[in-house]
Amino acid sequence: MNLQFEIIEKENIPQLVFPNEEVLQDSVAINERFSDLNRALSLGNLEHSKIKIYFEDDQSRKVVETTVWGLTDLRVILKQGNVIPINRIHKSV
């Protein structure tokens, strides 16, 4: 991604505040994001591979390198039960 994203440790995610608004406007991008997250979940469970999640809280854009442990309709679940709302995620790679 070409915009600035601040690197954050996954341990700091619980302190973040996430607004309810969707960060993506395009329905194709929203569907692609969910497909990418499902792929990340498979990689995390099978190979314990880390991915980068680009997301936005109420302050700024951030990126975390982590393993996806679970996925619900609304949230990505990371190690130690940390969560990021899916509607605040720009991209995962």
Side-chain angles (χ1 to χ4, degrees), residues 21-30 33 56 87-90:
E21 292 80 31
E22 170 64 63
V23 294
L24 299 178
Q25 304 306 316
D26 178 16
S27 62
V28 172
I30 291 170
R33 172 181 61 196
E56 193 170 338
N87 66 334
R88 301 306 296 172
I89 295 174
H90 286 275

Side-chain angles (χ1 to χ4, degrees), residues 12-69:
N12 296 329
I13 291 174
Q15 286 82 47
L16 303 179
V17 175
F18 293 103
N20 291 324
E21 292 80 31
E22 170 64 63
V23 294
L24 299 178
Q25 304 306 316
D26 178 16
S27 62
V28 172
I30 291 170
N31 289 334
E32 187 176 299
R33 172 181 61 196
F34 202 73
S35 295
D36 289 345
L37 289 171
N38 273 303
R39 194 172 313 112
L41 175 63
S42 296
L43 286 172
N45 286 334
L46 297 172
E47 302 174 19
H48 302 288
S49 299
K50 289 187 174 187
I51 61 153
K52 289 184 179 172
I53 299 176
Y54 295 85
F55 66 97
E56 193 170 338
D57 67 355
D58 65 339
Q59 300 292 314
S60 64
R61 294 171 185 244
K62 296 177 172 51
V63 60
V64 63
E65 189 168 352
T66 188
T67 302
V68 174
W69 286 75

